[in-house]
Amino acid sequence: MFFKKKGNYNRKAVANGHFATFVFWGLVLFIKGVCELYDKEFIHNSLTILLVGIAIFFITEFISNKKSQANK
């Protein structure tokens, strides 16, 4: 999606990657917010949250692409 030519990617795989990423980010930020209420640290580095989310996107897209290729 990011570096692929227009129309040269599996839209369903990208949608699955987006969904997994935003679910992860939503859960992590919710847990982080709850932990801040009790003065506990969950993940104190936002860059870590960002990089793990991007990794989840690419891994989910890769797995979804492999599953769709196997079904063909």
Side-chain angles (χ1 to χ4, degrees):
M1 180 179 132
F2 295 108
F3 302 109
K4 297 176 184 170
K5 294 181 181 176
K6 190 173 183 177
N8 192 19
Y9 57 91
N10 185 348
R11 292 183 188 273
K12 187 174 180 183
V14 171
N16 290 341
H18 285 153
F19 180 75
T21 301
F22 286 114
V23 166
F24 168 75
W25 280 337
L27 288 174
V28 166
L29 294 176
F30 176 75
I31 293 169
K32 185 174 177 170
V34 169
C35 288
E36 284 182 4
L37 291 174
Y38 299 106
D39 293 328
K40 305 281 182 182
E41 291 231 4
F42 179 62
I43 298 175
H44 66 280
N45 190 351
S46 297
L47 181 63
T48 303
I49 296 170
L50 176 69
L51 293 177
V52 171
I54 292 171
I56 287 174
F57 171 79
F58 285 116
I59 291 168
T60 305
E61 182 190 18
F62 177 78
I63 291 170
S64 187
N65 276 330
K66 290 298 179 184
K67 281 186 178 181
S68 68
Q69 288 175 358
N71 291 337
K72 288 184 179 181

